[in-house]
Amino acid sequence: MLPGDPARVDRAAQVLDDFRVLGQNREFRVGVGTSGGVPVAVCSTGIGGPSTEIAVVELARLGVRTVIRTGGMGALGAHIEPGDLCVVTEAEREGGAARHYADPEIPALATTAVSEALLAAAPAHFRRPAHRIRVLSCDSYYVGEGRALDRMEERAARRLAEIEAMGVDAMDMECETVLTVGAAMGLRVGAVLVAHASRASDSWLEDYEPAQLAMLRVAAAAARDLVATPGV
Ligand SMILES: O=P(O)(O)O[C@H]1O[C@H](CO)[C@@H](O)[C@H]1O
Ligand SMILES: O=c1cc[nH]c(=O)[nH]1
């Protein structure tokens, strides 16, 4: 399980059995535990492509077979409310690191078995139905995600219009890298995100904790079920 924020690694203690933190270097905090007897590691990726690339490559070299990004996102469509669970099927590719692993025209797709396992686990932990989404992974949080800054209002507005024209459901900063680099390393890949913000209604979740915890439960249940699914 790959959250961006190192602080979220410790939350896995409430979700996994026998959980212990192994250590932290830079933005990479790592813990291990089990879900229904299946070994599960949690490793924070930090923000954006380069640090996420390092996490995915090194986890693959350590023997991890499936990577699931567990993070937050900003929703674009009004149908996605803050706190909703979203299972990513595809990421639009705007990052830097992932283009070294697959040419830009190759789509960043989740492994179907991973997305289906996440969708199957969701109803036990979320009241509202999970969304299947296409996310834009962008290497810039402010202007790149269309947020107006002083003296950059026009540029940000043009950028937001460009994003809306892509028809994506949401924006984050790591899904593309997890899906592309993970697939290049021969892993099963997926991503499940909580909507931290709705750009349509300009609203934010006041407290991320309950939804993030529920999302980790979904990812842990999916990890357990995926072990019963052979192959990559
Ligand atoms: O919720 P996490 O996983 O930290 O990820 C999201 O939060 C960060 C931006 O605040 C970016 O990394 C974005 O993708
Ligand atoms: O709006 C948001 C919220 C979380 N993460 C992002 O990248 N954007």
PDB file of all heavy atoms in Angstrom, residues 72-74 141 145 147 171-173 196-197 199 204, ligand 2:
ATOM      1  N   GLY A  72      -4.955  10.647  -1.529  1.00  0.00           N
ATOM      2  CA  GLY A  72      -6.014  11.648  -1.648  1.00  0.00           C
ATOM      3  C   GLY A  72      -5.974  12.291  -3.017  1.00  0.00           C
ATOM      4  O   GLY A  72      -4.978  12.200  -3.734  1.00  0.00           O
ATOM      5  N   MET A  73      -7.043  12.954  -3.395  1.00  0.00           N
ATOM      6  CA  MET A  73      -7.151  13.582  -4.715  1.00  0.00           C
ATOM      7  C   MET A  73      -8.115  14.754  -4.644  1.00  0.00           C
ATOM      8  O   MET A  73      -8.881  14.896  -3.685  1.00  0.00           O
ATOM      9  CB  MET A  73      -7.687  12.570  -5.726  1.00  0.00           C
ATOM     10  CG  MET A  73      -9.022  12.025  -5.267  1.00  0.00           C
ATOM     11  SD  MET A  73      -9.904  11.058  -6.443  1.00  0.00           S
ATOM     12  CE  MET A  73     -11.463  11.964  -6.484  1.00  0.00           C
ATOM     13  N   GLY A  74      -8.077  15.576  -5.665  1.00  0.00           N
ATOM     14  CA  GLY A  74      -9.071  16.629  -5.830  1.00  0.00           C
ATOM     15  C   GLY A  74     -10.033  16.204  -6.925  1.00  0.00           C
ATOM     16  O   GLY A  74      -9.605  15.910  -8.044  1.00  0.00           O
ATOM     17  N   TYR A 141       1.141  21.071  -8.056  1.00  0.00           N
ATOM     18  CA  TYR A 141      -0.078  21.125  -7.242  1.00  0.00           C
ATOM     19  C   TYR A 141      -0.856  22.419  -7.467  1.00  0.00           C
ATOM     20  O   TYR A 141      -2.084  22.400  -7.526  1.00  0.00           O
ATOM     21  CB  TYR A 141       0.298  20.995  -5.763  1.00  0.00           C
ATOM     22  CG  TYR A 141      -0.873  21.046  -4.818  1.00  0.00           C
ATOM     23  CD1 TYR A 141      -1.660  19.921  -4.592  1.00  0.00           C
ATOM     24  CD2 TYR A 141      -1.204  22.222  -4.152  1.00  0.00           C
ATOM     25  CE1 TYR A 141      -2.743  19.963  -3.725  1.00  0.00           C
ATOM     26  CE2 TYR A 141      -2.278  22.274  -3.288  1.00  0.00           C
ATOM     27  CZ  TYR A 141      -3.047  21.136  -3.079  1.00  0.00           C
ATOM     28  OH  TYR A 141      -4.113  21.181  -2.228  1.00  0.00           O
ATOM     29  N   GLU A 145      -2.483  22.208 -11.287  1.00  0.00           N
ATOM     30  CA  GLU A 145      -3.838  21.711 -11.028  1.00  0.00           C
ATOM     31  C   GLU A 145      -4.865  22.845 -11.163  1.00  0.00           C
ATOM     32  O   GLU A 145      -5.997  22.723 -10.708  1.00  0.00           O
ATOM     33  CB  GLU A 145      -3.916  21.046  -9.645  1.00  0.00           C
ATOM     34  CG  GLU A 145      -3.137  19.733  -9.581  1.00  0.00           C
ATOM     35  CD  GLU A 145      -3.458  18.894  -8.356  1.00  0.00           C
ATOM     36  OE1 GLU A 145      -4.440  19.185  -7.648  1.00  0.00           O
ATOM     37  OE2 GLU A 145      -2.708  17.919  -8.109  1.00  0.00           O
ATOM     38  N   ARG A 147      -4.878  25.999  -9.931  1.00  0.00           N
ATOM     39  CA  ARG A 147      -5.187  26.861  -8.776  1.00  0.00           C
ATOM     40  C   ARG A 147      -4.602  28.252  -9.028  1.00  0.00           C
ATOM     41  O   ARG A 147      -3.412  28.379  -9.282  1.00  0.00           O
ATOM     42  CB  ARG A 147      -4.594  26.272  -7.489  1.00  0.00           C
ATOM     43  CG  ARG A 147      -5.272  24.989  -7.056  1.00  0.00           C
ATOM     44  CD  ARG A 147      -4.728  24.501  -5.714  1.00  0.00           C
ATOM     45  NE  ARG A 147      -5.611  23.480  -5.170  1.00  0.00           N
ATOM     46  CZ  ARG A 147      -5.468  22.175  -5.407  1.00  0.00           C
ATOM     47  NH1 ARG A 147      -4.483  21.731  -6.137  1.00  0.00           N
ATOM     48  NH2 ARG A 147      -6.328  21.317  -4.890  1.00  0.00           N
ATOM     49  N   MET A 171      -7.732  14.866  -9.917  1.00  0.00           N
ATOM     50  CA  MET A 171      -6.287  15.124 -10.060  1.00  0.00           C
ATOM     51  C   MET A 171      -5.537  14.641  -8.824  1.00  0.00           C
ATOM     52  O   MET A 171      -6.011  14.818  -7.689  1.00  0.00           O
ATOM     53  CB  MET A 171      -6.055  16.621 -10.210  1.00  0.00           C
ATOM     54  CG  MET A 171      -6.588  17.161 -11.507  1.00  0.00           C
ATOM     55  SD  MET A 171      -6.381  18.931 -11.628  1.00  0.00           S
ATOM     56  CE  MET A 171      -7.675  19.510 -10.579  1.00  0.00           C
ATOM     57  N   ASP A 172      -4.409  14.007  -9.087  1.00  0.00           N
ATOM     58  CA  ASP A 172      -3.481  13.681  -8.002  1.00  0.00           C
ATOM     59  C   ASP A 172      -2.073  13.862  -8.544  1.00  0.00           C
ATOM     60  O   ASP A 172      -1.894  14.448  -9.606  1.00  0.00           O
ATOM     61  CB  ASP A 172      -3.722  12.269  -7.444  1.00  0.00           C
ATOM     62  CG  ASP A 172      -2.878  11.210  -8.124  1.00  0.00           C
ATOM     63  OD1 ASP A 172      -2.656  11.302  -9.360  1.00  0.00           O
ATOM     64  OD2 ASP A 172      -2.417  10.272  -7.450  1.00  0.00           O
ATOM     65  N   MET A 173      -1.081  13.306  -7.848  1.00  0.00           N
ATOM     66  CA  MET A 173       0.288  13.553  -8.288  1.00  0.00           C
ATOM     67  C   MET A 173       1.144  12.286  -8.399  1.00  0.00           C
ATOM     68  O   MET A 173       2.324  12.379  -8.738  1.00  0.00           O
ATOM     69  CB  MET A 173       0.948  14.579  -7.352  1.00  0.00           C
ATOM     70  CG  MET A 173       0.174  15.889  -7.321  1.00  0.00           C
ATOM     71  SD  MET A 173       0.831  17.152  -6.225  1.00  0.00           S
ATOM     72  CE  MET A 173       2.302  17.627  -7.090  1.00  0.00           C
ATOM     73  N   HIS A 196     -10.344  14.295  -1.295  1.00  0.00           N
ATOM     74  CA  HIS A 196     -10.101  15.243  -0.193  1.00  0.00           C
ATOM     75  C   HIS A 196     -10.779  16.570  -0.472  1.00  0.00           C
ATOM     76  O   HIS A 196     -11.098  17.313   0.442  1.00  0.00           O
ATOM     77  CB  HIS A 196      -8.595  15.479  -0.027  1.00  0.00           C
ATOM     78  CG  HIS A 196      -7.886  14.359   0.667  1.00  0.00           C
ATOM     79  ND1 HIS A 196      -6.529  14.344   0.880  1.00  0.00           N
ATOM     80  CD2 HIS A 196      -8.353  13.203   1.205  1.00  0.00           C
ATOM     81  CE1 HIS A 196      -6.184  13.243   1.506  1.00  0.00           C
ATOM     82  NE2 HIS A 196      -7.269  12.527   1.713  1.00  0.00           N
ATOM     83  N   ALA A 197     -10.948  16.841  -1.760  1.00  0.00           N
ATOM     84  CA  ALA A 197     -11.523  18.137  -2.141  1.00  0.00           C
ATOM     85  C   ALA A 197     -12.420  17.954  -3.341  1.00  0.00           C
ATOM     86  O   ALA A 197     -12.224  17.034  -4.132  1.00  0.00           O
ATOM     87  CB  ALA A 197     -10.393  19.101  -2.510  1.00  0.00           C
ATOM     88  N   ARG A 199     -13.346  20.258  -6.499  1.00  0.00           N
ATOM     89  CA  ARG A 199     -13.086  21.538  -7.159  1.00  0.00           C
ATOM     90  C   ARG A 199     -14.393  22.124  -7.675  1.00  0.00           C
ATOM     91  O   ARG A 199     -14.506  23.342  -7.813  1.00  0.00           O
ATOM     92  CB  ARG A 199     -12.088  21.330  -8.301  1.00  0.00           C
ATOM     93  CG  ARG A 199     -10.751  20.772  -7.843  1.00  0.00           C
ATOM     94  CD  ARG A 199      -9.994  21.757  -6.969  1.00  0.00           C
ATOM     95  NE  ARG A 199      -9.612  22.938  -7.704  1.00  0.00           N
ATOM     96  CZ  ARG A 199      -8.524  23.034  -8.479  1.00  0.00           C
ATOM     97  NH1 ARG A 199      -7.704  22.000  -8.580  1.00  0.00           N
ATOM     98  NH2 ARG A 199      -8.236  24.141  -9.124  1.00  0.00           N
ATOM     99  N   TRP A 204     -13.700  21.120   0.948  1.00  0.00           N
ATOM    100  CA  TRP A 204     -12.655  20.192   1.392  1.00  0.00           C
ATOM    101  C   TRP A 204     -13.199  19.328   2.513  1.00  0.00           C
ATOM    102  O   TRP A 204     -14.060  19.756   3.275  1.00  0.00           O
ATOM    103  CB  TRP A 204     -11.449  20.975   1.945  1.00  0.00           C
ATOM    104  CG  TRP A 204     -10.584  21.551   0.885  1.00  0.00           C
ATOM    105  CD1 TRP A 204     -10.780  22.722   0.209  1.00  0.00           C
ATOM    106  CD2 TRP A 204      -9.391  20.975   0.341  1.00  0.00           C
ATOM    107  NE1 TRP A 204      -9.785  22.914  -0.705  1.00  0.00           N
ATOM    108  CE2 TRP A 204      -8.915  21.862  -0.642  1.00  0.00           C
ATOM    109  CE3 TRP A 204      -8.679  19.798   0.599  1.00  0.00           C
ATOM    110  CZ2 TRP A 204      -7.750  21.599  -1.384  1.00  0.00           C
ATOM    111  CZ3 TRP A 204      -7.523  19.558  -0.126  1.00  0.00           C
ATOM    112  CH2 TRP A 204      -7.065  20.437  -1.110  1.00  0.00           C
TER     113      TRP A 204
HETATM  114  O1  LIG B   2      -6.784  18.825  -4.816  1.00  0.00           O
HETATM  115  C1  LIG B   2      -5.975  17.905  -4.535  1.00  0.00           C
HETATM  116  C2  LIG B   2      -6.110  17.144  -3.344  1.00  0.00           C
HETATM  117  C3  LIG B   2      -5.176  16.163  -3.096  1.00  0.00           C
HETATM  118  N1  LIG B   2      -4.183  15.937  -3.981  1.00  0.00           N
HETATM  119  C4  LIG B   2      -4.045  16.657  -5.122  1.00  0.00           C
HETATM  120  O2  LIG B   2      -3.118  16.440  -5.905  1.00  0.00           O
HETATM  121  N2  LIG B   2      -4.959  17.614  -5.379  1.00  0.00           N
END
